[in-house]
Amino acid sequence: MRSRPARSLLALAVAGLVLGVAACSGATPAPRPTLTRAASDAVTVVAQESAAERSVRVSSALFRSAPGAVVAPARDADAVRKAASAAVRAHVPALLVDSGTTASKKAVTDELERLGASWYQSVGSVTLDTKVPERDAPEAGQRAEAGRASRQTVLVADRSSDAAAVATARAAGAQLVEMPSGVSDPAASGSVVRAMHRAAGHPTLLLGASFAGLGDPEWVVRAAQTGYRIGSGGQRPFDGHRYTALYGAPGAPVLGVLGEQDAAASVERARKLAAEYRGLSDVPVTPAFEVIATVAAGEAGDDGDYSRELPVSTLEPYVDAAHRAGMPTIIDLQPGRSDFLSQAKRYESLLQRPDVWLALDPEWRLGPDQVPLKQIGTVSAAEVNGVSEWLAGLVRREGLPPKALVLHQFRSSMVSDRGALASHPELDLLVHVDGQGSQPDKQATWKALHAGGPDGLHWGWKNFYDEDKPMLTPEQTMSEVQPTPSLVTYQ
């Protein structure tokens, strides 16, 4: 497969001239879209394996005090169900005991003492060594007031396995947000993100064993509370989403179709392109931009790196237009003799926006004696990992929703030791297979590059209007490229 794209040094020089004019146009940038962030409130994770342990911890997290509690054996489903109902009616915690476990009984008796309880009701076969008298809970207890119960938001992973803890949350007056069945990542659910956004400003409790693997629960909650969503779905870029993107640079038609029209016209063209995929995809198809921010240049330039870095002000009209249209923008880097991390940091102000992602183009990552189009560049997994660590840190620090990190590749040599690429919960990593030429050659490259990558990679495909022979139709792209790509760009 031929190098992507088939440009001459003259074309690069012409592009540099056009980009220089665009950068000096003097246009007034649109006001930067802002992301509303909730104050960083306390986040508690209750994810122990034992339902009995979780019931006590939820009580401790949500109730400062209580007149009583309802207690049941953890392995008696009928007793747990009855205890949960009684606890909600009485506005008191529901506590579970692992029968025959001394530590579990002690945890419950200690919790009764902490609550200042004057009674407890036993449902099922439970015996406690406590001075608190046993009696029936009132049918309609006093509503738990703010002085003794917390109005937290409780995100529930599995209601069925935590009936007692859920009842405690309801009794405390907490807002319950239930995760969809089979979903453990809050960012992947649009309904959860909406509910968390409405609850912004309140402490949050994450309840359920599936939350035990969350690396940074505070970031997960902050990101969800922003309310940012992709279309009608969640925040995770490639979970339930597919994209068609226009590729190119502002004011430079020779570099791709994005540069053939202004920002507003590019939005309309991107929308029409996405509409061609309607009915062909099993998930919604969202239009997008991939904007070249640093362009490989035919001349060394003042800094000697053979890369032309566009100012942020040149990119902002496209980023702003995409934002207003509900479209993500991918910032693409062609670093020449520079490095990816140094260039990425130039665009930190754009990457602080929730809908701006990052792409690295190793074809143009050159050695100290290389020049564009004379050699095909390469990047080490270590350098990519440096960028992903920095970008993931930016996402965490700013409380941003997850971002996509796109890695262009059409030869295995372009990314050395690709199996060592690091993963971060803040990022979705996608390998974009973007060679051009005959379809048999493109398909062979697509299949070859699927070998040797780390687990969890997503995949992208590029269609070239002029260089592909022939270019696939939307129907062919969705049916003949397998697995179906998550990102399809057009150049």
Side-chain angles (χ1 to χ4, degrees), residues 225-280:
Q225 287 180 342
T226 66
Y228 170 77
R229 295 186 299 136
I230 302 167
S232 60
Q235 299 179 328
R236 182 65 63 184
F238 301 119
D239 194 329
H241 304 282
R242 183 167 285 119
Y243 308 87
T244 55
L246 299 185
Y247 177 94
V254 69
L255 297 182
V257 295
L258 184 92
E260 294 179 355
Q261 58 279 307
D262 64 16
S266 291
V267 166
E268 290 308 310
R269 184 170 181 177
R271 283 173 166 167
K272 290 178 181 177
L273 176 61
E276 294 180 23
Y277 283 76
R278 189 171 296 136
L280 303 177

Side-chain angles (χ1 to χ4, degrees), residues 64-136:
R64 299 179 185 90
S65 64
V70 183
V71 183
R75 298 187 181 183
D76 185 337
D78 186 58
V80 170
R81 185 171 58 254
K82 291 177 180 178
S85 297
V88 172
R89 291 194 301 270
H91 301 290
V92 298
L95 305 175
L96 300 184
V97 175
D98 283 325
S99 300
T101 305
T102 302
S104 178
K105 290 183 178 181
K106 184 176 186 304
V108 170
T109 57
D110 287 348
E111 179 62 7
L112 290 173
E113 181 177 342
R114 187 197 68 81
L115 290 167
S118 59
W119 57 266
Y120 79 94
Q121 177 183 350
S122 174
V123 180
S125 179
V126 174
T127 57
L128 297 177
D129 183 13
T130 177
K131 295 180 181 180
V132 178
E134 180 180 356
R135 67 175 176 82
D136 288 344

Side-chain angles (χ1 to χ4, degrees), residues 379-386 388 415-422:
V379 68
S380 66
E383 182 172 333
V384 176
N385 290 344
S388 66
V415 183
S416 62
D417 196 19
R418 196 180 67 178
L421 290 174

Side-chain angles (χ1 to χ4, degrees), residues 5 7 244-271 273 288-292 318 462-467 471 488-491:
R7 295 194 288 260
T244 55
L246 299 185
Y247 177 94
V254 69
L255 297 182
V257 295
L258 184 92
E260 294 179 355
Q261 58 279 307
D262 64 16
S266 291
V267 166
E268 290 308 310
R269 184 170 181 177
R271 283 173 166 167
L273 176 61
F289 287 165
E290 183 166 354
V291 182
I292 309 174
Y318 286 80
K462 179 170 282 190
N463 284 325
F464 287 85
Y465 284 105
D466 297 327
E467 288 83 8
M471 188 182 82
V488 181
T489 59
Y490 280 77
Q491 181 169 342

